[in-house]
């Protein structure tokens, strides 16, 4: 059966019996007890509107279809996209539907599987990134670029939910139901909290390095040292590229070198920018707002590319001539497909690469949001979802 056929068959197969693990014992073998058919009442943490703080809310996860996996969420990273979405900062192109439960860096333990599931068994650990469904048949989907599904992928939160109605809710919650195709295998032995950010920050910075074929010895610049930026540094260093960090925060200059960058400079340092003219094959900008890019185009080599993954609004300060001279490219990139997300997870586990995380409870989410906006995150907040359930993972 194809992925589409399995999903289409879901409605008639939800009554299948499900094996179940003892809920959320992260490192214990699952026990055998009935989980029920669902739908599953779920505790979550979300935004009631664009200005209010996030707080506890109750949501429901759909009954499992044959291709679905029920996850008990263990950890969820906080991406700056969560903040943009919760605060409706993308209203011009992706208005927020409330209540909004963000979270697309999800690590969970499999509590039940639909009867057609082959990729997971109860007790396995799975990851969910930014995607939970796509058409499965368009040119993008059949070439492992589900994020660019021409019928529009279903994103983990704030997407129309074709299966349950309403809109999707993300990983700041104690359970998720996701088609197995969109659940990433997490190899045994991985540091689970530190793996969560790879599901968005990791893949979003890995994918352009793959696409633009960043190789050993090439010079790459990372603009903005936050969640995405620090993963970009680690991933580029792993490829033996020569990494320079451009930051607006003097306090991060030493950190950039600790993370493996050869050089770190303040973006406002005009002398350094002049010295670096014509130096870089690739730049990856993780800055969450539009900013004048001309100075950065000038540090690209001939045929170099500046990949913007951060700013979604109209870009500033890009003169056509800055691209024409030197045949430079200004490009964008969005996360990565499911196969590539699996690839970055496996790549990082094999090399011991993980995010630098600060573990918090749900009650700290609003404070964490404020700190991210103030550029005061070193370098990813990850929510321990045990705090939502009033229990601790071992
Ligand atoms: P983050 O942790 O807040 O990091 C962003 C960094 O950019 C900050 O730490 C800061 O670094 C710099 N910065 C912040 N505000 C700035 C400003 N006004 N001017 C100049 N520099 C500024 O955010 P993130 O989670 O890494 O996400 C970064 C952006 O990528 C967000 O807009 C997010 O929505 C987007 N995103 C896109 C994708 C995609 O698929 N394209 C995926 C995930 C996230 P310094 O202190 O070093 O200057
Ligand atoms: Zn993200």
């Amino acid at each position: 059966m194809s992925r589409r056929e399995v999903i289409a068959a879901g409605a008639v197969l939800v009554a299948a019996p499900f094996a179940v693990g003892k809920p959320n014992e992260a490192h214990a073998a699952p026990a055998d007890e009935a989980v029920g058919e669902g739908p599953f009442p779920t505790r979550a943490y979300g935004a009631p509107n664009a200005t209010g703080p996030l707080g506890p809310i109750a949501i429901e996860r759909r009954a499992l279809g044959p291709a679905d996996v029920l996850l008990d969420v263990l950890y969820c990273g906080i991406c700056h996209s969560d903040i943009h979405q919760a605060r409706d900062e993308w209203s011009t192109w992706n208005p927020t539907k409330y209540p909004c439960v963000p979270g697309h860096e999800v690590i969970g333990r499999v509590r039940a599987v639909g009867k057609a599931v082959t990729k997971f068994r109860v007790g396995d650990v799975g990851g969910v990134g930014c995607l939970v469904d796509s058409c499965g048949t368009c040119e993008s989907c059949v070439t492992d670029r589900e994020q660019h599904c021409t019928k529009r992928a279903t994103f983990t939160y704030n997407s129309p939910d074709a299966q349950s109605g309403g809109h999707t809710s993300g990983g700041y919650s104690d359970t998720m139901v996701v088609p197995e195709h969109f659940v990433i295998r997490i190899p045994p032995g991985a540091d689970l909290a530190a793996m969560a950010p790879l599901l968005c920050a990791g893949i979003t910075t890995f994918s352009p390095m793959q696409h633009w074929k960043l190789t050993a010895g090439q010079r790459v610049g990372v603009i903005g040292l936050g969640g995405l930026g620090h993963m970009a540094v680690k991933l580029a260093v792993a490829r033996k590229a020569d990494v320079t960090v451009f930051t607006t925060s003097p306090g991060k200059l030493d950190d950039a070198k600790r993370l493996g960058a050869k050089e770190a400079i303040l973006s406002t340092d005009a002398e350094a920018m002049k010295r670096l003219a014509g130096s870089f094959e690739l730049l990856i900008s993780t800055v969450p707002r539009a900013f004048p890019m001309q100075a950065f185009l000038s540090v690209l080599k001939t045929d170099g590319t500046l990949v913007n993954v951060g700013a979604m609004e109209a870009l500033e300060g890009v003169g056509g001539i800055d691209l024409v001279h030197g045949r430079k490219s200004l490009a964008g990139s969005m996360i990565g497909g499911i196969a590539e997300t699996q690839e970055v997870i496996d790549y990082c586990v094999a090399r011991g690469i993980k995010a630098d995380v600060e573990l918090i409870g749900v009650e700290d989410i609003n404070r964490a949001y404020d700190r991210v906006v103030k550029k005061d995150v070193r370098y990813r907040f990850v929510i321990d979802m045990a705090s939502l359930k009033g229990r601790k993972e071992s």
Side-chain angles (χ1 to χ4, degrees), residues 77-82 90 103-105 129-130 157 197 199-201 204 228 335 380:
I78 292 181
C79 177
H80 204 123
S81 301
D82 300 353
W90 288 338
H104 57 209
E105 293 183 341
C130 301
Y157 56 81
L199 292 154
C200 176
T204 302
L228 267 58
I335 46 171
R380 201 57 144 186

Side-chain angles (χ1 to χ4, degrees), residues 27 109 155 164 178 353:
H27 308 293
R109 186 165 290 279
F155 289 81
S164 306
V178 180
I353 300 169

Side-chain angles (χ1 to χ4, degrees), residues 78-82 84 90 104 130 200-201 204 223-229 245-249 252 267 286-289 291 308-312 333-335 372-373 375-377 379-380:
I78 292 181
C79 177
H80 204 123
S81 301
D82 300 353
H84 290 311
W90 288 338
H104 57 209
C130 301
C200 176
T204 302
I223 311 172
L225 193 61
L228 267 58
V245 166
F246 298 90
T247 178
T248 60
S249 304
K252 294 183 186 171
S267 315
T286 72
V287 175
R289 306 256 170 217
F291 64 98
N308 167 56
V309 298
M312 305 297 168
S333 188
M334 181 171 66
I335 46 171
V372 170
V373 171
K375 310 179 203 173
D376 176 26
V377 50
Y379 278 89
R380 201 57 144 186

Side-chain angles (χ1 to χ4, degrees), residues 359-378:
L359 208 57
I360 61 167
V362 283
E363 65 285 359
D364 297 320
I365 291 174
N366 293 298
R367 273 193 298 276
Y369 272 26
D370 292 339
R371 280 184 54 195
V372 170
V373 171
K374 287 184 197 143
K375 310 179 203 173
D376 176 26
V377 50
R378 305 289 170 97

Side-chain angles (χ1 to χ4, degrees), residues 28-76:
D32 219 339
E33 55 185 77
V35 68
E37 295 165 9
F40 305 96
T42 293
R43 278 171 286 201
Y45 223 76
N49 52 51
T51 52
L54 279 73
I57 59 172
I59 60 171
E60 193 171 81
R61 299 298 187 185
R62 69 168 181 266
L64 285 192
D68 284 339
V69 171
L70 172 65
L71 291 166
D72 281 321
V73 179
L74 304 175
Y75 299 105
C76 185

Side-chain angles (χ1 to χ4, degrees), residues 86-314:
R87 298 182 176 175
D88 205 14
E89 292 172 353
W90 288 338
S91 59
T92 52
W93 60 278
N94 187 20
T96 305
K97 295 149 199 108
Y98 293 98
C100 170
V101 177
H104 57 209
E105 293 183 341
V106 184
I107 296 283
R109 186 165 290 279
V110 175
R111 180 144 62 105
V113 294
K115 70 176 191 184
V117 168
T118 55
K119 193 168 150 188
F120 292 96
R121 288 182 317 174
V122 170
D124 287 348
V125 177
V128 181
C130 301
L131 301 168
V132 290
D133 209 353
S134 70
C135 84
T137 56
C138 75
E139 191 187 345
S140 295
C141 287
V142 298
T143 52
D144 292 325
R145 295 172 296 171
E146 297 90 340
Q147 75 274 32
H148 301 303
C149 173
T150 54
K151 293 181 188 126
R152 199 168 160 78
T154 304
F155 289 81
T156 305
Y157 56 81
N158 205 56
S159 265
D161 188 335
Q163 299 205 45
S164 306
H167 59 275
T168 53
S169 293
Y172 299 4
S173 60
D174 61 9
T175 69
M176 288 187 80
V177 172
V178 180
E180 65 167 337
H181 178 77
F182 292 89
V183 184
I184 308 299
R185 277 187 238 95
I186 306 295
D191 176 344
L192 298 184
M195 281 291 110
L198 300 179
L199 292 154
C200 176
I203 180 59
T204 302
T205 49
F206 182 75
S207 187
M209 293 178 200
Q210 294 286 92
H211 184 76
W212 279 277
K213 300 184 172 48
L214 179 67
T215 54
Q218 289 191 330
R219 291 192 79 176
V220 58
V222 175
I223 311 172
L225 193 61
L228 267 58
H230 97 292
M231 285 314 311
V233 174
K234 292 185 185 210
L235 291 166
V237 167
R239 304 166 92 95
K240 301 190 171 29
D242 175 333
V243 182
T244 297
V245 166
F246 298 90
T247 178
T248 60
S249 304
K252 294 183 186 171
L253 292 170
D254 288 344
D255 263 8
K257 297 210 174 131
R258 174 183 62 78
L259 293 166
K262 241 188 214 159
E263 194 171 0
I265 67 161
L266 286 172
S267 315
T268 48
D269 182 345
E271 275 308 302
M273 294 299 280
K274 213 162 146 191
R275 171 171 58 78
L276 290 169
S279 298
F280 294 89
E281 273 88 2
L282 184 67
L283 293 170
I284 299 178
S285 174
T286 72
V287 175
R289 306 256 170 217
F291 64 98
M293 287 183 165
Q294 195 280 331
F296 290 97
L297 292 175
S298 70
V299 301
L300 283 175
K301 276 185 172 170
T302 299
D303 285 331
T305 303
L306 192 171
V307 183
N308 167 56
V309 298
M312 305 297 168
E313 58 273 64

